[in-house]
Each structure stands twice: as structure tokens, then as C-alpha cells.
Amino acid sequence: MIDTVALPRPYQNYVYAYPHKTAYRPLTPRPAIADLWSGESTGALSLYLHIPFCEVRCGFCNLFTRVGAPDGLTGRYLDALTRQAETVRAALGDTQPVRFANAAFGGGTPTFLEAGELSRLCDIAEQVMGADLRAIPLSVEASPSTATADRLGVLAERGTTRLSLGVQSFIDEEARAAVRPQRRADVEAALGRIRDTDIPVLNIDLIYGIDGQTAASWRLSLDAALAWRPEEIYLYPLYVRPLTGLGRNVDSVAAEHDWDEERLRRYEQGRDHLLAEGYTQVSMRMFRRLDAPPQGPDDYACQTDGMIGLGCGARSYTSGVHYSFDYAVAPREVRAIIDTYTTTTDFTGAAYGRVIDGDEAERRYLLQSLLQADGFSVAEYRGLFGRDPGDGFAPELESLAERGWLADAGSDRLRLSPRGLAYSDAIGPEFFSPAVLAAMAAYEHR
């Protein structure tokens, strides 16, 4: 049996993209967007539109978002989003076809926008950027209080294929403990409205590790979600981040071994319950119902294809540079960045980001593939990078094997074992480059 004392802490850094945003720095001089996309493949891009507004900021949230919007701010934000979209679409040019394989509206809470503003957001994606929202997968994030019938009607009519509802817990006391004031009755009502639409895929987000949560209360939340037969369920471990509501009240330096063990138990409980209820595991967090309908054609590969991010909290990816706007969590800083964005008229340059050189593209591919339950083909990896994963990352992979975190040893497919998937948030940072780790360590949270 593996000595668990020697294992790294299971919850370190949620790796949903690489390099991490805290490794970004001002790009000096600012490269032109047109130059960054010159020569890039644009046949299968992802389009992401970011809305940085929420009705309340949850205690665990470290996303780029502000609470509320003074009169006219959402309109000014959409004005700026339109200017940015026009600039970016012109920068992409017409020398080769520009096609978006999927689209997403995130935040923040996109459904913070009123129904007419959501229509305008869709117009930006379709009429300015040229994305055919009714022909590609379109995912939109929502909260229970903003999932109103008129907003949902707009999203359904414009082609939304997936609606993700942030529930986190069906227990009112747990929601309050996570600084997310909501009532179960309101959550259930929102779920009912979503099911009344033609949106084919419902995702429900749940969080484990909340103060006071027990095996019994976690099971109650799981079963309450399952009662709606959502096509997808995401199970997130609770993190306490700097400058968040919970982060201001918790000693982040204190030993958290017991909390780690508790979260691991809740993860395993949730995983096993969902597998028994007819779901398949896609990643550490994502579970999909076995008979869920497909969202539609999607030939986009997040490991290699480009992404266009619009909005002051969005990121864009080319093969050589990842770029965005400034990032912050503290309310005053966020408000200042949004105010600057809404008055910006020149979007021709990339402000913040990181050059993807050396083996960074290889690390990105490995991370974003290995942390999926299916893993990846070694032969395909070899075709992309001219070498096997073990040629560049032998110590890291050997360490995973010694811990029992790799499955199918010796096969042509590299993937994690069930225990390895449970430790995904510990595995990710082990493949970060020294340069990225140093930049992240030097980042000043604000």
C-alpha cells in the first residue's frame, strides 16, 4: 500500500488552463492582435464572451467579477464589448476561413444581463464575430435568481445547448456557510424554469468541503440534483482563496490535513454515487449522464486550437501567446479595471499575457489531456511533438506511476487511475514549468 503520508496535498491548484493567469505579466511593447493571429489556424476556434457582473459575490469566489452594476454600466460594457469584437474580427482577416466550433458566455453571471441585453450579447457573437450560435454548441452560466423565464427564453431561442446552474448546495445552511445566500425553494424553481425550455443540456454545480457539511447532507444535495436528471453534474472541492469572502476569515497557513481528508471522502462519496446512478466520469469534476444527448458537432480541441476571448475578464489563446486584460479579485481593483475597459476605444493591442515558448505548449497539451478521464494517445502526442511524453517528463510520470496514479501501464494511452483522478489538483502543478511557478509565486494578489 502506498504511504499516504508521502503524498502531496490533494487540493493545490485547480488547473483549467495553462499557464495559470497569475503567471501573466504586462506585454511590453504591446503586440498587435493582428500580428498575434497572423498565420494562425482559424478553422476551428472557440469563442468566449465574459460578463463580469453578479448579484452577489460568493465567499469562495476568486473570479473576475463585481457585485451589481450602477445605472448604465451594463450598457457601456456591451458597447465596449462590441468595439473589441469589431477590432478582433478585423484582426482575424479574411485570407482564410474563420469558423467558430463552439461558444460560451461566462463570468461573473451572464444572466445578470436583462433579456434584451442577452439578445445584444448574442448579436455580438453572431453579427460581429460571425459565430452561428444555432449550429454550434453554446454554453451559458447562470445563477438561480437570474434564471428567469424571459432570460431563458432568449437563450433557448438563440441556440443555447447547455445551461450551467451554480447551485453549490441544496442545504440553505451550507449555502450561507459558503457566503452564498439562497433558498432551496428558489433553486428548485429555477431548475423547473430551465427544464421548461428547449435547452437540451442542464449542468448543476455542487461543492463539497463546506463548513458543517456531512456525509448525510452531501448525499441530500446529490440526490436533490439527481432528481432533475441533469445531463451533467460538476463536483467542485471548496477552495479558500486570497481576498475572497472566506479567505478573509480563515487562517490559510494553518494545517488543513483533516480538511483534505474530509474533502477526499466527500469526493469519493459523490463520485461513487453518480457512477451508480448512470453517470460516467469525464474528469475529476465533470460527470455526464450516459444517455445524455450530444450538444452538437464540436471539432474543437482545447489543447491545440485557438480561442478568442472577449470582455475584460476573458483570455485568448494563440499557439505562441496567451493574452488577456489585467486581473484582480479585490472589489476596488475589479471596479477600476471594468471602468477602464468600458472607456477603451483602442483594442488593437494585447495588454497582459505570456509567451508560449520552449516546452510550454507541450506542458499545456499534456496537462489538459492527462487530467481528462480518457487521457491521451501517446502516438498522437508523438506526432505533435516529435517525442514521447516520457522523453520530456520522465521524473514526473515515474512519480505518478510509483504512487499508483497511472492506469494501463505499458499501453499506448496515458491516463490516470481512479486515485490519480482524485488527485488531479495535485498532479497539475507538478507539470508546471519552473518559469511559470516562479511567476505565480511572485504574483501580488490584489
Side-chain angles (χ1 to χ4, degrees):
M1 179 177 292
I2 297 172
D3 182 5
T4 57
V5 176
L7 297 179
R9 292 192 60 194
Y11 303 104
Q12 297 183 28
N13 213 322
Y14 173 23
V15 183
Y16 60 91
Y18 178 82
H20 194 272
K21 58 182 174 287
T22 55
Y24 287 14
R25 293 295 184 272
L27 296 171
T28 308
R30 291 189 177 188
I33 301 296
D35 291 341
L36 293 180
W37 285 99
S38 177
E40 292 286 312
S41 174
T42 56
L45 297 175
S46 180
L47 178 63
Y48 176 74
L49 276 64
H50 183 265
I51 302 300
F53 306 108
C54 288
E55 71 274 21
V56 66
R57 190 182 190 104
C58 303
F60 51 82
C61 178
N62 72 329
L63 299 178
F64 182 87
T65 187
R66 65 163 289 166
V67 176
D71 288 345
L73 180 57
T74 55
R76 294 194 301 275
Y77 184 85
L78 290 173
D79 290 343
L81 196 66
T82 302
R83 295 194 297 271
Q84 185 190 4
E86 291 170 342
T87 300
V88 172
R89 183 59 190 87
L92 291 175
D94 295 309
T95 57
Q96 59 178 328
V98 175
R99 185 180 70 86
F100 292 99
N102 62 47
F105 301 159
T109 307
T111 48
F112 180 90
L113 299 179
E114 296 179 353
E117 294 173 321
L118 283 173
S119 290
R120 188 178 173 193
L121 186 68
C122 293
D123 288 343
I124 294 171
E126 290 190 320
Q127 299 174 14
V128 181
M129 295 305 298
D132 189 349
L133 298 184
R134 294 177 179 84
I136 62 176
L138 169 60
S139 179
V140 181
E141 298 173 5
S143 66
S145 64
T146 61
T148 58
D150 58 341
R151 292 176 170 101
L152 293 172
V154 168
L155 295 176
E157 193 276 328
R158 299 302 290 264
T160 300
T161 56
R162 178 180 182 270
L163 197 292
S164 180
L165 192 72
V167 174
Q168 320 315 350
S169 176
F170 283 85
I171 311 297
D172 291 355
E173 293 79 10
E174 290 182 5
R176 286 195 295 271
V179 194
R180 183 184 177 85
Q182 67 183 22
R183 296 186 309 138
R184 178 174 176 176
D186 296 331
V187 173
E188 300 280 2
L191 287 165
R193 291 191 295 272
I194 295 168
R195 281 310 198 196
D196 286 340
T197 71
D198 294 327
I199 298 173
V201 174
L202 165 65
N203 172 70
I204 295 177
D205 287 345
L206 297 176
I207 285 181
Y208 54 92
I210 299 172
D211 187 34
Q213 187 179 65
T214 65
S217 68
W218 180 228
R219 174 63 180 264
L220 192 155
S221 277
L222 291 167
D223 286 339
L226 287 169
W228 291 97
R229 296 293 292 158
E231 285 70 26
E232 295 176 3
I233 297 181
Y234 272 69
L235 305 183
Y236 288 95
L238 178 65
Y239 272 104
V240 174
R241 297 303 196 190
L243 302 182
T244 62
L246 295 178
R248 287 192 294 269
N249 300 312
V250 175
D251 181 1
S252 60
V253 181
E256 295 178 324
H257 176 267
D258 290 344
W259 192 33
D260 286 344
E261 291 300 311
E262 177 68 16
R263 283 181 288 181
L264 273 175
R265 286 193 293 270
R266 296 291 78 78
Y267 161 79
E268 292 171 348
Q269 177 189 357
R271 175 199 62 195
D272 294 348
H273 191 47
L274 294 183
L275 293 178
E277 290 293 324
Y279 286 74
T280 185
Q281 186 167 17
V282 180
S283 68
M284 172 188 169
R285 290 165 174 76
M286 179 181 176
F287 296 81
R288 187 169 175 84
R289 214 179 70 208
L290 287 168
D291 61 347
Q295 293 188 65
D298 185 359
D299 56 354
Y300 176 78
C302 67
Q303 303 95 327
T304 55
D305 291 330
M307 176 172 171
I308 297 290
L310 301 177
C312 59
R315 297 197 274 179
S316 297
Y317 306 138
T318 71
S319 61
V321 176
H322 292 184
Y323 63 93
S324 68
F325 294 94
D326 198 3
Y327 167 74
V329 174
R332 179 180 297 180
E333 300 283 351
V334 171
R335 290 195 296 268
I337 293 171
I338 294 174
D339 289 343
T340 298
Y341 177 81
T342 60
T343 58
T344 298
T345 56
D346 181 3
F347 288 100
T348 58
Y352 289 78
R354 191 165 189 88
V355 174
I356 306 302
D357 55 9
D359 63 0
E360 295 291 18
E362 192 173 355
R363 291 176 184 274
R364 179 177 181 238
Y365 183 94
L366 191 151
L367 278 169
Q368 294 187 209
S369 302
L370 184 61
L371 299 184
Q372 299 295 306
D374 286 343
F376 62 93
S377 163
V378 174
E380 187 172 326
Y381 184 101
R382 188 185 306 123
L384 287 170
F385 300 106
R387 63 177 183 173
D388 286 352
D391 295 335
F393 305 100
E396 294 89 344
L397 293 173
E398 289 171 3
S399 178
L400 296 185
E402 290 171 358
R403 297 168 185 163
W405 290 358
L406 291 180
D408 303 332
S411 75
D412 189 53
R413 193 159 197 87
L414 192 62
R415 64 186 186 92
L416 297 176
S417 66
R419 191 62 171 171
L421 273 178
Y423 274 80
S424 291
D425 285 0
I427 290 172
E430 293 187 351
F431 287 89
F432 290 5
S433 71
V436 165
L437 288 172
M440 291 172 63
Y443 177 79
E444 183 177 348
H445 293 275
R446 60 188 184 88

